[in-house]
Amino acid sequence: MADTTILTSIHGKRFGLDRPGNAIVDRGDAVGPTILSSTAYTNVAASTALTASSTETLFSTSYSIPANTLVPGQLIKISYWGIVTASNASDTFASVLRIGGVAGTALYTHTATDATNNDIFLGEYTLVIRTIGASGTVVGWGWGKNIPAVEATTTVRTDVLASTTIDTTVAQVIGVTGQFSSTSASNSARLDMLAVEMA
């Protein structure tokens, strides 16, 4: 996973930086050096409201993993939640967690449903980078609130990502999208929380 030639030994502990700049530690077990867990991103405010949008649109709160920084075995943990703040008649709302932006890989897709005020969408996803490069690979699994609904009414659905191509030589945007079934100005949603951890 990491380049052991740059590890430094201090007080019996071996730690340092790998080539992409990730903090690593070697605990002296058979596993070898591992990347230290760190919070790569948390938003300090809710996203800009997504209003009157009938096309899949990325919420303004997102995180971009820099190009050429991912390494084999790297763990990426994503947590998020958002809310439909206003809704029009029987218009539906759908949301998708993606890596690679709107055109990238869909990780978790919330089933489109007749949106009502205060419907919540949320989920968590864990990814593991298997290989890197222009044809790198990633696997993962996660869970989420299957259908956006008011708080305390949750139907959970799990999801598995089989080995999928990911180009680690370019930046990879982690974000959540939203889409209403009409462009009514009465439709509005926002992403309240997005957290990305790297290990």
Side-chain angles (χ1 to χ4, degrees), residues 32 55 113:
T55 57
T113 187

Side-chain angles (χ1 to χ4, degrees), residues 48-189:
T48 302
L50 179 65
T51 304
S53 176
S54 62
T55 57
E56 187 180 3
T57 304
L58 199 66
F59 284 99
S60 61
T61 297
S62 62
Y63 173 67
S64 182
I65 300 174
N68 298 307
T69 58
L70 293 170
V71 296
Q74 188 150 23
L75 192 71
I76 305 168
K77 293 184 177 182
I78 308 162
S79 303
Y80 65 97
W81 77 269
I83 186 170
V84 176
T85 53
S87 56
N88 175 61
S90 59
D91 291 349
T92 63
F93 176 76
S95 183
V96 182
L97 171 65
R98 290 186 176 274
I99 184 167
V102 174
T105 300
L107 300 176
Y108 189 92
T109 301
H110 299 270
T111 304
T113 187
D114 181 357
T116 58
N117 293 3
N118 300 315
D119 279 356
I120 301 293
F121 53 100
L122 56 80
E124 294 183 335
Y125 218 92
T126 301
L127 298 170
V128 175
I129 301 298
R130 288 276 175 84
T131 60
I132 59 173
S135 298
T137 52
V138 60
V139 296
W141 78 279
W143 67 273
K145 196 167 189 172
N146 185 30
I147 300 172
V150 294
E151 190 175 1
T153 55
T154 301
T155 301
V156 172
R157 178 173 52 83
T158 57
D159 182 90
V160 172
L161 181 71
S163 184
T164 300
T165 300
I166 182 171
D167 185 354
T168 64
T169 68
V170 299
Q172 291 291 334
V173 174
I174 294 174
V176 179
T177 66
Q179 180 178 2
F180 288 96
S181 60
S182 86
T183 56
S184 170
S186 297
N187 290 328
S188 183

